């Protein structure tokens, strides 16, 4: 999490090329590796704040460890998990440099395709078309956020109420 991407991009691109991960399926594994640090950091911090007494009470009520996680801990964890999902989805959807380095111009993600499509002759760029395509490109992320927003608000409200 501390090392910026620009410091590892040359080495990472070299290793990805050697492992033949420079395709659409391979970039999924690269994103899993890069996104795991923030996700684990956020989720572990929240899991540590869940009182152990809740899990002990579920165990006394007859839950095995798997039931305890999915029936007790995960519903409490849902707002944080959705927040992590939104942050990772926004990062992956808007990322330009990593897909451009790994995939090149053969397979394109939306930001790379927009940049290539709007590049004219001699560096001329159609800014009107460029902005229109960018607005269209952010619509799926906005829809995803609006669908997940109710879960985040529920979690914030549930965390604010002390009994």
């Amino acid at each position: 999490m501390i090392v910026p991407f620009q410091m590892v991009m040359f080495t990472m691109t070299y290793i990805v090329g050697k492992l033949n991960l420079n395709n659409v399926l391979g970039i999924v594994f690269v994103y899993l590796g890069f996104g795991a640090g923030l996700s684990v950091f956020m989720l572990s911090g929240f899991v540590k704040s869940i009182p152990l007494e809740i899990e002990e009470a579920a165990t006394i009520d007859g839950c095995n460890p798997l039931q305890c996680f999915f029936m007790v801990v995960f519903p409490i964890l849902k707002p944080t998990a959705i927040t992590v999902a939104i942050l990772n989805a926004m990062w992956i959807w808007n990322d330009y440099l990593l897909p451009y380095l790994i995939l090149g111009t053969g397979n394109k993600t939306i930001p790379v395709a927009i940049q290539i499509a709007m590049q004219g002759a001699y560096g001329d760029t159609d800014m009107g078309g460029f902005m229109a395509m960018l607005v269209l490109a952010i619509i799926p992320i906005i829809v995803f956020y609006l669908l997940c927003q109710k879960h985040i608000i529920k979690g914030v409200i549930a965390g604010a109420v002390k009994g």
Side-chain angles (χ1 to χ4, degrees):
M1 284 178 45
I2 296 172
V3 178
F5 173 70
Q6 289 78 7
M7 287 184 66
V8 297
M9 68 182 178
F10 177 74
T11 309
M12 190 231 17
T13 311
Y14 178 76
I15 292 172
V16 165
K18 287 291 185 186
L19 294 175
N20 291 326
L21 292 175
N22 49 357
N23 53 32
V24 177
L25 184 60
I27 199 167
V28 171
F29 292 111
V30 174
Y31 273 124
L32 283 174
F34 273 110
L38 175 67
S39 301
V40 168
F41 179 72
M42 287 183 68
L43 288 171
S44 67
F46 189 79
V47 167
K48 287 178 185 175
S49 71
I50 296 174
L52 190 60
E53 289 81 14
I54 293 174
E55 295 177 49
E56 290 172 351
T59 305
I60 290 172
D61 288 341
C63 288
N64 61 29
L66 201 60
Q67 288 174 327
C68 183
F69 177 75
F70 283 109
M71 297 175 128
V72 177
V73 175
F74 192 71
I76 297 170
L77 190 67
K78 190 190 295 185
T80 305
I82 290 175
T83 303
V84 167
I86 288 173
L87 288 173
N88 282 328
M90 285 177 53
W91 166 57
I92 291 169
W93 188 264
N94 292 326
D95 196 13
Y96 177 82
L97 185 58
L98 181 63
Y100 189 76
L101 289 173
I102 291 177
L103 298 176
T105 56
N107 296 319
K108 298 180 218 39
T109 59
I110 289 178
V112 175
I114 289 172
Q115 191 270 332
I116 291 172
M118 289 294 111
Q119 194 67 40
Y122 302 110
D124 184 35
T125 303
D126 177 20
M127 285 297 179
F130 192 67
M131 293 302 152
M133 288 179 85
L134 289 176
V135 168
L136 289 175
I138 64 170
I139 290 174
I141 287 295
I142 291 173
V143 169
F144 179 65
Y145 175 76
L146 291 175
L147 291 175
C148 295
Q149 181 182 11
K150 64 181 177 183
H151 299 289
I152 295 173
I153 292 172
K154 260 191 233 175
V156 170
I157 291 172
V161 177
K162 299 285 182 186

